[in-house]
Amino acid sequence: MLSIVVIISFLANTNAIYSYQVRRDIVGQTQEEAWRVFDSETSKILRAIGEVPAVAEFEDRRGALDVARQNLRTQIVDQRNPGFGELSQKHYAEATKILGVDLTPLRPPQSTAPVDELAAYASRLDAFIAEQAETQFKNDPAAPFVALRDDIEKVKTFYEGKMRLKEYSGDTTDLMTRDLDGYAVTARELLPAAPELAAINNTADEIGSIQYTWRNFLDWIS
């Protein structure tokens, strides 16, 4: 009876001491490895998105619109030819052509109006174009690909900050695992030739269990 108590006590205490000693190191190592997998596998998805022709066309279109909007704002407040004159109307026509819609411009002030008034008009007109662009781009065939790419880039930045600060947590690794799994599903649904993605091994979640401790002992881990 005493031997049984000693054996159980030995197992439980060894497990507790081992788990306490290696928790931070193993959680950190697991998260570092999870980040390497997350970074490499999401990069595969981003490369595949970049190869979609509709995405390249979308980016060209959005870039051209940005140039037209900048030219319009600059022209309206140009001291040599201020206001919504011929040149400004030309830039406005370029923007509407890119959007593929016929937009009636906001009523402009006189070309002799103060610079502040012209600048305010330029801002309102630009906001009007941006609002229309959001609607048009939302319905673009490339929109789902761009949304996935933007979300991946945002989430990667978040996890990269965690890794840079060495903020190790089993919860972060679990989130990383779920995010990568979700991206894999979305990629298979969207991409014509979705890349094969590796999975994250988040076994740090097992720390604290006797099975985990003694398996590591047998494998001579830490």
Side-chain angles (χ1 to χ4, degrees):
M1 290 291 292
L2 182 61
S3 298
I4 293 174
V5 172
V6 168
I7 291 171
I8 293 175
S9 178
F10 175 74
L11 291 174
N13 282 289
T14 301
N15 175 58
I17 294 170
Y18 179 83
S19 299
Y20 176 80
Q21 293 290 339
V22 305
R23 178 176 295 278
R24 178 171 174 79
D25 288 343
I26 296 227
V27 168
Q29 292 166 12
T30 303
Q31 188 168 319
E32 292 278 359
E33 179 59 28
W35 164 246
R36 282 191 286 271
V37 175
F38 185 89
D39 184 38
S40 66
E41 302 312 288
T42 51
S43 294
K44 291 179 183 178
I45 298 176
L46 293 177
R47 284 194 296 271
I49 291 174
E51 294 171 358
V52 176
V55 174
E57 294 172 5
F58 178 87
E59 293 300 339
D60 290 343
R61 186 182 173 201
R62 188 158 64 176
L65 180 64
D66 289 342
V67 171
R69 287 171 58 190
Q70 180 60 49
N71 290 339
L72 178 60
R73 291 193 301 267
T74 302
Q75 187 59 55
I76 290 174
V77 296
D78 189 345
Q79 295 180 354
R80 294 168 298 180
N81 188 6
F84 195 66
E86 184 178 344
L87 289 176
S88 294
Q89 292 176 29
K90 180 181 177 182
H91 295 311
Y92 185 78
E94 286 180 24
T96 57
K97 182 179 179 182
I98 293 168
L99 291 176
V101 292
D102 187 16
L103 301 177
T104 302
L106 305 177
R107 180 169 180 162
Q110 296 292 328
S111 59
T112 55
V115 175
D116 290 345
E117 187 177 342
L118 291 172
Y121 172 74
S123 296
R124 290 198 308 273
L125 187 60
D126 184 64
F128 173 65
I129 296 172
E131 182 181 349
Q132 300 301 317
E134 184 177 355
T135 301
Q136 295 298 317
F137 289 156
K138 191 180 296 183
N139 297 323
D140 192 278
F145 300 98
V146 175
L148 176 60
R149 182 195 63 190
D150 292 347
D151 187 58
I152 288 175
E153 290 175 346
K154 180 180 70 174
V155 172
K156 284 186 75 168
T157 300
F158 170 76
Y159 288 134
E160 189 173 8
K162 291 281 189 183
M163 303 309 299
R164 191 181 297 112
L165 297 174
K166 297 188 181 301
E167 294 181 352
Y168 298 134
S169 165
D171 291 339
T172 300
T173 304
D174 290 343
L175 284 173
M176 214 180 292
T177 303
R178 286 197 292 270
D179 283 336
L180 182 58
D181 291 343
Y183 291 144
V185 172
T186 306
R188 285 195 295 269
E189 293 173 350
L190 284 179
L191 296 169
E196 290 293 328
L197 302 179
I200 291 174
N201 178 11
N202 59 345
T203 54
D205 289 341
E206 298 178 26
I207 291 177
S209 69
I210 291 179
Q211 297 92 325
Y212 177 85
T213 296
W214 289 101
R215 185 168 66 247
N216 282 4
F217 271 25
L218 293 174
D219 294 335
W220 206 246
I221 296 174
S222 296

